[in-house]
Amino acid sequence: MEETMDKVFNPASIAIIGASETPGKAAERRTRSLLDGGYQGRVFLVNPKRSELFGRKTYPSLLDVGQEVDLVMVVVAPRLVSSAVAESIKAGAKGVIIITAGLGETGEAGKKIEAEIVAEAAKTGAYIIGPNCSGLFNASSRINLLGVPHIQEGGLSVIAQSGNVIDSLTHYAKARGWGFRKIISMGNAVGVNLHEYIDYLRNDDQTRVILAYLESIKDGPNFIRSARETVKKKPVIVLKAGKSKAGVRAAASHTGSLAGDDAVVEAAFKQVGVIRVSNVDELFDVADVLANCPLPKGRRIVVLSEGGGDNAIAADNIESYGLEVPVLSSDTQKKLKPFLLEGMPSVNPIDYGGTAEENPLMINECLKVCLEDEEIDAAFITGFFGGFKDIIAARVAELENQAAGEMVALVGRYQKPLIVHTSFARDDVASLNILKSAGVPVIESSERAARCLAALVKYSDYRQKSHTVHFYEPIINERPFIKEILKKAGGRQRANLLETQARQILEEYRMPLNEAVPAHTPEEAKAAADKIGYPVAMKVLSPDIIHKSDLGGIKLDLRDEAQLAAAFEEILAGALRATSRDRVEGVLVSPMVVGGQECIVGMVRDRQFGPVIMFGLGGVFVEVLKDVSFRVAPLTEEDIEEMVRETKGYKILTGLRRQPPKDVRALKEVIAKVARIALENPEIKELDLNPVVILEKGAKIIDARIILASPED
Amino acid sequence: MEETMDKVFNPASIAIIGASETPGKAAERRTRSLLDGGYQGRVFLVNPKRSELFGRKTYPSLLDVGQEVDLVMVVVAPRLVSSAVAESIKAGAKGVIIITAGLGETGEAGKKIEAEIVAEAAKTGAYIIGPNCSGLFNASSRINLLGVPHIQEGGLSVIAQSGNVIDSLTHYAKARGWGFRKIISMGNAVGVNLHEYIDYLRNDDQTRVILAYLESIKDGPNFIRSARETVKKKPVIVLKAGKSKAGVRAAASHTGSLAGDDAVVEAAFKQVGVIRVSNVDELFDVADVLANCPLPKGRRIVVLSEGGGDNAIAADNIESYGLEVPVLSSDTQKKLKPFLLEGMPSVNPIDYGGTAEENPLMINECLKVCLEDEEIDAAFITGFFGGFKDIIAARVAELENQAAGEMVALVGRYQKPLIVHTSFARDDVASLNILKSAGVPVIESSERAARCLAALVKYSDYRQKSHTVHFYEPIINERPFIKEILKKAGGRQRANLLETQARQILEEYRMPLNEAVPAHTPEEAKAAADKIGYPVAMKVLSPDIIHKSDLGGIKLDLRDEAQLAAAFEEILAGALRATSRDRVEGVLVSPMVVGGQECIVGMVRDRQFGPVIMFGLGGVFVEVLKDVSFRVAPLTEEDIEEMVRETKGYKILTGLRRQPPKDVRALKEVIAKVARIALENPEIKELDLNPVVILEKGAKIIDARIILASPED
């Protein structure tokens, strides 16, 4: 695939159908940016109403060109798009970029045109980019079809679902002197899809960081696969809109694609190591740091400044992003002392005070000692380095330049990241330019610098993971017994399994079910209770009753025969308020589970990402705090570890106050098996284990609910 | 006070003791910035080693000047500071600014010098600014003693505990074209304290916004009083360092002042309407918006852009800061339709698309409709306004200028805030300059723009509050009965009151105590239980046992005489493991309280802020989640309302699922009375009501603990 994709990015010839010279028009801007951009291949302009544009011969139709064309850009009215694409295919195009808007995003008529386009392209396997997109840029072939003049060359590649965001990105880049490798505007993405672009950029050696602005991810599993592979080679930073209701509204109406549930997106990003940002400027800040800094081994940061105030602010920022500013070892503190004024702190943050303002080389004496320390993973210089010459005295300028050079050398020598925050970051200052051009990030805001450092640590953490998919036992692909249950139940009118059926499936996966004996009569219930031993629990068994407790369908702590008999009657009476007698199969009698912590483990099949696994502690944690975590199956061991740990209630499982710790390993096994059941049984739409009681040793599933996919799903 | 304070800011003469011409030295920079700054009064340079500096006669001693001097700046070695201050006082100085560092912040020797300074100043009531400070700036008298050249005049006034932060602030301001009214560097603040500066700036009409960088607040109650008054007139924006452990370390070592508990600071800021920020750049962004925008009536924001992507990002940002982007009324949507392209959304966010890029006047057609809508409180324009001329066509420039002028007019007409986010914000663009100079904030980052808007809404909310201090009944100043208990208990070796004593105090305030009958023998306990009615609870009563349950000192749900007798024995046995028999006074027998929600209400006396009141729900909310809220007494009705609402567990009190709502008013009354007890009885150091059970009607205090202040406190 990539070879033909490469023809799209490096075509020998390009045609523009709908070329124009009316200033400000979409077609004119793009024709101009292509012609002015230095592209060396052949260019053909097509416009039936003009014989010449930009002083060039203009063809009435693409077919009049009389030779093969690798890449075609289409900028015509919606009703003309289908035939333009058909012509392009006939002319041998490997790729067609459709700028035209007003198609699928506006309604059914547009969707029909999109279907025609896709059918045309399928004839030869040509790539369709767009429609409703903004164009393409490739630095190596000097193609600029974005209509944005003067895009600088660099190591960042962009995939974006919004043309305006590309405009903003290119402007920010210009202001900061950064450049791009490739820029892709996806638009409605009826042809080439997100993961195909990511795959392509993964193998583009000159792309150092991939940036994406996304409003929806249509093919979740492929995105996950592609991103997971890519992140092992280079950072992927995504600005994903649609966190809020209004954000979803704006995004949905924008590219005609429904933005998915943000919790699932967030989970998927965590799993594959994609760094998520919220803004275009943050996208840039983070890209700069991830593109240039060595990866830190941990999260222990040393903070240095000539100002105690800046130190205090930086320390607050760094710790607020989950990093540490640890007290330095006494050994390191001793080594620092000679460089610090009497009484100045060497604990971390380090304050070298006015000494450094007059002699900036002092900074590196301290920096070197800190980078040498194996207990320090990265350095953060804060204050107004680069501005000493203005605030102190002009003679300091040369020393600042020298200090900058030394900083670069120290980063290279110790391979630990250094980030410099200074209020002079955006000024044109020689010393800061030395840092910037050597890839030491210089950032104007202490907070944003800390945020970038946190992103770098996160990316580094991810690179150190094993990525092993979690299966506690070998996969058995065929489970005819389960398929039989699912098939049988699937034919029924209601798609929720009877609890006994759900239990059969869970048993097949050796899930730790609490014992539950079916009983159809009070006598059978008594026999069951005698066998189990009092006290027991009893619950209704009927395909029509999902919310059992609402109808008094659950009775707990039944201590003797009399209580048992009364409970049976009450359960039956409650059930008959909801359904007929022949739909009540009886009850389940179970032992009471004492102690332990109630949890919920669930699965729901997401339209875009497939099976999403949920975990949370029971009670107020789920009901009041919505304290749950999500991950997309398949799960790695680290995914499961993280999804358990990231809940606020996790502490309870580890043993709060005088409570003994719970068997977290047993919990993890339950989660792993839920993921596996979901992957192996696509017939199951939802699965709920609620509660699962985690004991000091082992776990007990008290209640299980399985809902099957209906034909409409 | 303010009149003499005014002599410090508007002196007829200034002397510098320790003036210097060595480039880069603290004294040289400040002497230079004063001489170059345009100050019109008399200036006297003092340096015994020089007869001339900066081409001016230089005096060996201040006393050689031979006339009164209003303001003296001292920049000499620490050992010379005391005599320099003494000379200043003799010369009639109304204020002495001490730049010299290495005093109180470094140890005892320095603290001694500071005490001498304070004693000298007390002779005449002169103001001491510093030591270890960075100087002073006042635009109206053109005094620049900061050593930072070319500070522009404007409406912002600054109080800072760090000289370097002032350097950063002045640099940021220069980069954005903003200016200052007054800048005060507090240093160690041994003389003039924070609230005195705030009081002074409150009455300075030309100061539109007060900015502060603080590391500690020594006098909490005065700060609260002063800030509360000030915020009613103008915004106070504070960057307070010391949120994190490392931040506290850096701040503490910096100005020699211990940074207080951040939770208390945070609570105090909320109460008095101080807007808290985390960074210097944020301080500026927020100041710009608060200084210039009309106050919004609510938090309903309309978002407009030519780009759907920018809209989606802005909506996410705005909602993430707690504001709303509501669906517009159908009436407003109908009015917008004519200006939008077919299929473009009018719900909010509004996307006027490419139309506006070619004709920016279109923006105002939409903006006007939205500002007219009474259900919209503020507008947020996002995208790249100001850059259309670069991206679309040069001819658009004039239309952008015209559109900017109209925007300014619309803000004036409707008195609703407008914030413009554009990637071109930092460029020198005519249209954006029109907005900026008319006070319409133009911000480079969508996120930061949203954050500023949220700060504006917060400030506006605060301005609408009643500020009524909460007392449910008139204050009784004299409660001799309580004073007697406190006096008696205070004389004892251990300062925690016996529960019966604590209950007596609470009873005096008519607090809703659960009944508790003291019993010294099993027989007395039986009599109490018979009177109360089974089941009962029983707990140990001993001045030596605070954590009763640790020793098995609490027995619940005792259902009959036998259980009661056994419990008495067990409680006694447990107590004897901790203390002797004569220190066990017996037990308290209480009715069991059924149902309701356990809460905790507490009070602890903060060294800097006085009585701090705490509220939280019991169980996991306090233990696992640390879900508690704080406020500093006295409390207003709104304080109490907010401290209850801001806990995550609050939802439970309002009635979760089928639980009836609890009596929140009764809870608030308990909180109000705890604040009142704290204010009226300074002898009480800590007070804990844990648990207080909030019932459907009323509340019951189950357990109460009071600890008295010891002589060392």
Side-chain angles (χ1 to χ4, degrees), chain B residues 182-415:
Chain B
K182 293 182 169 59
I183 301 176
I184 300 156
S185 172
M186 285 179 64
N188 295 354
V190 302
V192 189
N193 210 333
L194 177 58
H195 63 271
E196 296 171 273
Y197 292 124
I198 298 177
D199 285 340
Y200 180 70
L201 294 176
R202 174 173 64 247
N203 297 319
D204 177 36
D205 289 337
Q206 289 173 298
T207 291
R208 292 168 65 194
V209 179
I210 300 172
L211 310 183
Y213 167 77
L214 303 177
E215 294 179 349
S216 72
I217 296 171
K218 284 184 192 166
D219 181 348
N222 262 319
F223 167 77
I224 286 182
R225 178 200 51 70
S226 168
R228 211 190 273 275
E229 276 312 301
T230 306
V231 165
K232 288 177 198 165
K233 282 181 77 172
K234 55 187 80 169
V236 178
I237 309 169
V238 176
L239 168 50
K240 168 77 177 65
K243 282 185 185 181
S244 66
K245 271 187 224 159
V248 170
R249 270 200 317 266
S253 60
H254 181 216
T255 47
S257 55
L258 201 79
D261 184 341
D262 197 67
V264 177
V265 170
E266 185 79 28
F269 285 4
K270 277 184 201 163
Q271 284 179 269
V272 301
V274 159
I275 302 294
R276 185 174 192 177
V277 297
S278 304
N279 280 275
V280 174
D281 51 332
E282 192 189 352
L283 194 63
F284 254 108
D285 286 339
V286 172
D288 179 23
V289 172
L290 265 68
N292 293 307
C293 291
L295 293 182
K297 292 211 178 63
R299 57 186 59 235
R300 297 164 302 180
I301 318 297
V302 65
V303 177
L304 310 102
S305 180
E306 71 285 349
D310 287 307
N311 267 342
I313 295 168
D316 281 353
N317 284 318
I318 290 169
E319 295 204 357
S320 82
Y321 282 105
L323 307 178
E324 293 162 21
V325 182
V327 171
L328 294 171
S329 68
S330 57
D331 188 44
T332 297
Q333 290 199 41
K334 213 162 70 190
K335 287 186 196 157
L336 285 169
K337 282 285 180 207
F339 307 116
L340 304 179
L341 289 176
E342 186 65 30
M344 286 307 227
S346 58
V347 280
N348 191 15
I350 293 160
D351 185 349
Y352 30 63
T355 321
E357 293 171 3
E358 293 183 45
N359 175 17
L361 298 178
M362 185 59 66
I363 298 173
N364 292 318
E365 302 286 358
C366 297
L367 181 62
K368 182 171 174 294
V369 171
C370 295
L371 292 180
E372 260 170 12
D373 185 339
E374 291 200 347
E375 291 170 12
I376 287 301
D377 303 308
F380 187 106
I381 290 178
T382 175
F384 51 95
F385 180 76
F388 294 163
K389 63 174 189 354
D390 294 321
I391 294 183
I392 305 304
R395 65 173 163 77
V396 184
E398 195 37 55
L399 291 169
E400 284 191 295
N401 296 347
Q402 201 183 324
E406 284 180 9
M407 282 178 203
V408 171
L410 286 173
V411 169
R413 179 165 161 199
Y414 293 102
Q415 284 297 305

Side-chain angles (χ1 to χ4, degrees), chain B residues 350-630:
Chain B
I350 293 160
D351 185 349
Y352 30 63
T355 321
E357 293 171 3
E358 293 183 45
N359 175 17
L361 298 178
M362 185 59 66
I363 298 173
N364 292 318
E365 302 286 358
C366 297
L367 181 62
K368 182 171 174 294
V369 171
C370 295
L371 292 180
E372 260 170 12
D373 185 339
E374 291 200 347
E375 291 170 12
I376 287 301
D377 303 308
F380 187 106
I381 290 178
T382 175
F384 51 95
F385 180 76
F388 294 163
K389 63 174 189 354
D390 294 321
I391 294 183
I392 305 304
R395 65 173 163 77
V396 184
E398 195 37 55
L399 291 169
E400 284 191 295
N401 296 347
Q402 201 183 324
E406 284 180 9
M407 282 178 203
V408 171
L410 286 173
V411 169
R413 179 165 161 199
Y414 293 102
Q415 284 297 305
K416 292 183 181 180
L418 163 67
I419 292 190
V420 176
H421 156 243
T422 164
S423 9
F424 289 77
R426 298 280 275 267
D427 295 19
D428 184 16
V429 176
S431 56
L432 300 181
N433 290 342
I434 291 170
L435 293 174
K436 289 174 191 171
S437 61
V440 173
V442 179
I443 300 177
E444 177 192 38
S445 151
S446 176
E447 183 192 350
R448 278 173 273 148
R451 201 191 286 193
C452 290
L453 194 50
L456 182 68
V457 168
K458 205 166 154 187
Y459 178 63
S460 179
D461 276 356
Y462 191 80
R463 287 283 293 261
Q464 293 168 41
K465 282 187 185 177
S466 75
H467 309 287
T468 318
V469 170
H470 192 301
F471 285 119
Y472 281 105
E473 46 185 305
I475 288 198
I476 304 154
N477 280 316
E478 284 304 319
R479 296 184 187 259
F481 171 67
I482 292 179
K483 297 297 164 197
E484 191 55 35
I485 296 176
L486 293 172
K487 200 175 148 198
K488 203 172 119 195
R492 290 160 61 141
Q493 202 186 356
R494 301 279 301 253
N496 58 304
L497 292 188
L498 203 58
E499 190 170 341
T500 41
Q501 295 172 318
R503 288 176 56 92
Q504 282 175 321
I505 294 173
L506 298 175
E507 233 154 43
E508 183 71 11
Y509 283 88
R510 288 176 219 134
M511 291 282 248
L513 293 163
N514 189 31
E515 191 182 353
V517 183
H520 303 91
T521 62
E523 294 69 34
E524 282 182 26
K526 180 182 171 305
D530 284 341
K531 196 180 131 234
I532 290 166
Y534 289 96
V536 296
M538 187 190 281
K539 56 186 166 182
V540 69
L541 189 62
S542 163
D544 296 343
I545 300 172
I546 299 181
H547 301 290
K548 294 185 275 273
S549 59
D550 290 1
L551 294 161
I554 299 178
K555 301 286 175 187
L556 300 177
D557 205 21
L558 306 173
R559 293 172 171 269
D560 53 37
E561 201 176 320
Q563 288 186 5
L564 191 82
F568 192 97
E569 287 313 310
E570 285 172 35
I571 284 177
L572 193 65
L576 293 180
R577 279 186 279 133
T579 189
S580 59
R581 183 64 185 87
D582 63 312
R583 299 283 290 167
V584 183
E585 309 225 349
V587 298
L588 286 177
V589 182
S590 296
M592 287 298 296
V593 175
V594 181
Q597 172 60 48
E598 290 197 354
C599 293
I600 298 176
V601 179
M603 183 279 293
V604 62
R605 217 168 277 276
D606 182 80
R607 230 153 35 94
Q608 288 156 345
F609 283 89
V612 176
I613 315 302
M614 188 201 84
F615 162 72
L617 265 70
V620 293
F621 288 98
V622 166
E623 286 176 33
V624 181
L625 302 168
K626 314 290 173 218
D627 177 29
V628 292
S629 58
F630 297 96

Side-chain angles (χ1 to χ4, degrees), chain A residues 172 281 426 444 448 651, chain B residues 172 281 426 444 448 624:
Chain A
Y172 278 115
D281 50 332
R426 299 280 274 267
E444 177 191 38
R448 279 174 274 148
K651 275 181 260 178
Chain B
Y172 278 115
D281 51 332
R426 298 280 275 267
E444 177 192 38
R448 278 173 273 148
V624 181

Side-chain angles (χ1 to χ4, degrees), chain B residues 684-697:
Chain B
I684 298 178
K685 184 182 163 197
E686 285 178 36
L687 188 159
D688 257 309
L689 309 182
N690 180 13
V692 184
V693 176
I694 313 303
L695 300 162
E696 281 171 58
K697 203 166 157 41

Side-chain angles (χ1 to χ4, degrees), chain A residues 371-615:
Chain A
L371 292 180
E372 259 170 12
D373 185 338
E374 290 198 350
E375 291 170 11
I376 287 299
D377 302 308
F380 187 106
I381 290 179
T382 177
F384 51 95
F385 180 76
F388 295 161
K389 62 175 189 355
D390 295 320
I391 295 183
I392 306 303
R395 65 173 162 79
V396 184
E398 194 39 54
L399 290 169
E400 283 191 296
N401 296 347
Q402 201 182 325
E406 284 180 9
M407 282 177 201
V408 171
L410 287 173
V411 169
R413 179 166 161 196
Y414 293 101
Q415 285 298 304
K416 292 182 181 180
L418 163 67
I419 292 189
V420 176
H421 156 243
T422 165
S423 11
F424 289 76
R426 299 280 274 267
D427 296 19
D428 184 16
V429 176
S431 56
L432 300 181
N433 290 342
I434 290 170
L435 293 175
K436 289 174 192 173
S437 61
V440 173
V442 179
I443 299 176
E444 177 191 38
S445 151
S446 177
E447 183 193 351
R448 279 174 274 148
R451 202 192 286 194
C452 289
L453 194 50
L456 182 68
V457 168
K458 205 166 155 188
Y459 178 63
S460 180
D461 276 356
Y462 191 81
R463 288 284 293 262
Q464 292 169 41
K465 282 187 185 177
S466 75
H467 309 286
T468 318
V469 171
H470 192 300
F471 285 120
Y472 282 103
E473 46 185 305
I475 288 197
I476 304 153
N477 280 315
E478 285 304 321
R479 297 185 186 259
F481 170 68
I482 292 178
K483 296 298 163 194
E484 190 55 34
I485 297 175
L486 293 172
K487 202 177 146 197
K488 205 171 116 194
R492 289 160 61 141
Q493 206 188 351
R494 301 277 302 254
N496 59 305
L497 292 188
L498 203 59
E499 190 171 342
T500 43
Q501 295 172 317
R503 289 176 55 92
Q504 282 176 321
I505 293 173
L506 298 175
E507 232 155 42
E508 182 71 10
Y509 282 88
R510 288 176 218 135
M511 292 282 250
L513 293 163
N514 190 30
E515 192 182 354
V517 183
H520 303 91
T521 63
E523 294 68 37
E524 283 183 26
K526 179 181 172 306
D530 285 341
K531 197 179 131 234
I532 290 166
Y534 290 95
V536 295
M538 187 191 281
K539 58 187 165 182
V540 68
L541 189 62
S542 162
D544 296 343
I545 300 173
I546 299 180
H547 301 291
K548 295 185 274 273
S549 59
D550 291 1
L551 294 160
I554 299 177
K555 302 286 174 186
L556 299 178
D557 205 22
L558 306 173
R559 293 170 172 269
D560 54 36
E561 202 177 320
Q563 287 186 4
L564 190 83
F568 192 97
E569 288 311 311
E570 285 171 35
I571 284 176
L572 193 65
L576 292 180
R577 279 186 279 134
T579 189
S580 58
R581 182 66 185 85
D582 63 313
R583 300 283 288 168
V584 184
E585 309 224 352
V587 299
L588 287 176
V589 182
S590 296
M592 287 298 296
V593 175
V594 182
Q597 172 60 46
E598 289 198 354
C599 293
I600 298 176
V601 179
M603 183 280 293
V604 61
R605 217 167 276 277
D606 183 79
R607 231 152 35 94
Q608 289 156 344
F609 283 90
V612 176
I613 314 301
M614 188 202 86
F615 163 72

Side-chain angles (χ1 to χ4, degrees), chain A residues 27-168:
Chain A
E28 180 268 345
R29 288 165 50 210
R30 287 170 177 79
T31 311
R32 188 157 40 91
S33 71
L34 178 67
L35 296 175
D36 294 352
Y39 173 60
Q40 299 297 313
R42 285 157 287 149
V43 174
F44 307 103
L45 305 184
V46 177
N47 187 331
K49 294 179 193 154
R50 304 289 299 268
S51 60
E52 197 183 289
L53 287 167
F54 293 94
R56 287 167 164 268
K57 173 177 165 55
T58 298
Y59 301 85
S61 151
L62 181 59
L63 299 178
D64 297 323
V65 168
Q67 50 177 291
E68 274 210 355
V69 175
D70 283 347
L71 180 63
V72 180
M73 181 169 78
V74 174
V75 208
V76 297
R79 65 190 159 78
L80 303 174
V81 169
S82 291
S83 59
V85 172
E87 276 179 23
S88 306
I89 301 301
K90 281 200 195 102
K94 308 295 178 298
V96 184
I97 301 172
I98 306 168
I99 306 297
T100 310
L103 296 180
E105 77 277 17
T106 57
E108 284 312 312
K111 288 216 171 77
K112 197 166 152 274
I113 296 172
E114 286 183 350
E116 291 166 11
I117 295 168
V118 171
E120 275 300 331
K123 290 179 183 169
T124 62
Y127 293 104
I128 299 292
I129 297 174
N132 187 21
C133 82
S134 166
L136 191 85
F137 168 82
N138 183 13
S140 37
S141 55
R142 304 182 71 81
I143 294 181
N144 182 347
L145 286 168
L146 285 171
V148 177
H150 315 303
I151 300 175
Q152 213 174 308
E153 190 171 334
L156 310 177
S157 284
V158 174
I159 305 168
Q161 272 178 354
S162 159
N164 284 56
V165 168
I166 291 175
D167 293 344
S168 292

Side-chain angles (χ1 to χ4, degrees), chain B residues 14-82:
Chain B
I14 300 176
I16 300 178
I17 304 184
S20 154
E21 285 181 322
T22 311
K25 289 290 170 204
E28 180 269 344
R29 289 165 49 209
R30 286 170 178 80
T31 311
R32 186 156 43 89
S33 71
L34 178 68
L35 296 176
D36 293 352
Y39 172 62
Q40 300 296 315
R42 285 156 288 150
V43 174
F44 306 103
L45 305 184
V46 178
N47 187 331
K49 295 180 193 154
R50 303 288 299 268
S51 59
E52 197 183 290
L53 287 168
F54 293 95
R56 289 167 162 269
K57 172 176 164 59
T58 298
Y59 302 86
S61 151
L62 181 58
L63 300 178
D64 298 321
V65 168
Q67 52 178 291
E68 272 211 356
V69 175
D70 283 347
L71 181 64
V72 180
M73 182 170 77
V74 174
V75 207
V76 298
R79 66 190 159 77
L80 303 174
V81 169
S82 291

